[in-house]
Amino acid sequence: MGARLYRRGVAAGTAGRALNDLIVRLRAAGCVFAEDEARLLGAAAPTAEQLEQLVVRRVAGEPLEQVLGWAEFDGQRFVVEPGVFVPRRRTELMVRLAVAAWRARPLSRPPVVVDLCCGCGAVGFAVLRRLGEGRLVAADVEPAAVHCATRNVAPVGGEVLLGDLFEPLPTELRGHVDLLTANVPYVPTGAIALMPPEARDHEPRSALDGGPDGLEIFARVSAGASEWLTPGGAVLLEASEQQVPTTLNLLTAAGLTAGVITDEDLAATIVIGTAR
C-alpha cells in the first residue's frame, strides 16, 4: 500500500512539474492566460508527443482555438480549423439582439436567418438555436470557413454557401429574410499590421480587411440589405465606436431605420438597420 501511494505521489509530482514547465513556456510566448491554456492543451492531447505538437503550434503564435480545434461561443463549442476566423465573445451581443428583434415581431411563422461572412458559422447557429426553429442560410468567401460552418450548422439544418456576400444566396430569399447577421471585416487595411500576430498571421485577410477606412464591406452590405429583407426585417452589423456614425448613415441612405446598441462588459457595438 505504501509503495503504491509513493508511486502515485511521484507521478503526481512529475505531472505537476510538467504542467508548470508548460505554463512557463506559454507565458514566455506571450500567452496572457497561460495557466488556463496549459490545462486546455493538456486535456486535448492524449500523449506527451501530441501535447508537444500542440504546444509548438501555440508558442509559434497560432490561435489557441485553431490549435485545440474548437472555439466556445454563446455556450457552445464550434469546430475551428487552421485558416478560419475565430469567433469573438463580443459578437454574442449580435446574437442576443437578433433574437430580440425577431421576438419583438408578432409573427407566427418560423424566421428566415441569413448569416453573411459566417466564418465557422457560430453566429447563425447560435441565433437559430436560441429561436428553436427557422431556416438558416450562411455564406462566406473562404472555402475553409464554408467547410467548418457546414459541420457546425448541420444540427439546426443550416445551409452554407461559398461566395461573396449576397451573390450565392438563393433568389427565392430576396425580400424574405427576417434576420441578416453580418460580422463583416471592419479593420482598416493599414491597421492590420498592428493586430496581434495570431490574428493577422493565422486568420484569413478577407475576414479582417475592411478596406482603407474599414467601411468598404459595411457599405456593400448596407446597400444590398433592403433588397433581401422582409418588411420589418433587420440587418445587424458589428462595428467599432468610431465607425458608428458612418455606418448609421449608410443604413439610412439605403432606406433602413438605423440604430446602435453597445455593451460595455463585452466591449461590443452593434448597428441595426430595420426595413420599413
Side-chain angles (χ1 to χ4, degrees):
M1 180 69 173
R4 285 200 297 273
L5 286 175
Y6 174 76
R7 285 196 293 271
R8 288 175 187 172
V10 170
T14 302
R17 286 193 296 275
L19 178 62
N20 289 335
D21 291 344
L22 177 52
I23 291 171
V24 170
R25 288 177 66 186
L26 293 170
R27 189 175 291 129
C31 301
V32 178
F33 302 104
E35 292 85 353
D36 293 335
E37 292 196 13
R39 294 185 182 93
L40 288 170
L41 291 168
T47 68
E49 290 76 14
Q50 289 172 311
L51 175 59
E52 179 62 19
Q53 292 172 2
L54 298 182
V55 173
V56 167
R57 290 172 59 191
R58 181 59 181 138
V59 169
E62 192 170 343
L64 176 66
E65 293 83 359
Q66 292 180 7
V67 174
L68 294 173
W70 57 267
E72 185 171 324
F73 181 84
D74 199 45
Q76 301 288 310
R77 284 189 179 184
F78 295 89
V79 175
V80 177
E81 296 174 350
V84 175
F85 181 79
V86 177
R88 274 53 163 176
R89 182 169 177 264
R90 62 175 177 266
T91 311
E92 292 177 5
L93 177 61
M94 180 183 289
V95 173
R96 297 204 301 266
L97 295 176
V99 171
W102 170 252
R103 289 177 175 166
R105 299 175 64 191
L107 298 174
S108 57
R109 59 173 177 80
V112 175
V113 180
V114 168
D115 185 19
L116 298 183
C117 305
C118 70
C120 72
V123 173
F125 176 93
V127 170
L128 215 63
R129 181 183 67 87
R130 284 184 175 230
L131 292 176
E133 61 177 350
R135 179 182 180 184
L136 170 62
V137 178
D140 201 285
V141 73
E142 292 289 337
V146 171
H147 180 260
C148 270
T150 298
R151 295 175 61 188
N152 286 325
V153 306
V156 294
E159 177 183 7
V160 187
L161 306 171
L162 175 66
D164 185 29
L165 297 180
F166 301 100
E167 179 270 328
L169 299 183
T171 56
E172 72 266 18
L173 291 183
R174 190 174 277 109
H176 296 285
V177 176
D178 296 298
L179 298 170
L180 175 59
T181 57
N183 187 17
V184 306
Y186 59 86
V187 180
T189 303
I192 290 178
L194 305 177
M195 295 184 70
E198 62 183 36
R200 70 169 187 257
D201 295 338
H202 296 278
E203 293 182 316
R205 192 177 182 92
S206 63
L208 306 173
D209 193 343
D213 58 1
L215 294 165
E216 186 176 291
I217 314 302
F218 282 133
R220 294 177 57 202
V221 172
S222 298
S226 58
E227 179 183 353
W228 292 88
L229 291 174
T230 187
V235 55
L236 298 94
L237 300 160
E238 185 175 288
S240 68
E241 291 185 10
Q242 295 77 14
Q243 293 167 329
V244 166
T246 302
T247 306
L248 290 172
N249 290 337
L250 288 169
L251 291 171
T252 301
L256 304 174
T257 301
V260 60
I261 297 178
T262 61
D263 185 315
E264 293 184 1
D265 291 335
L266 291 176
T269 300
I270 304 295
V271 181
I272 305 175
T274 305
R276 298 168 184 167

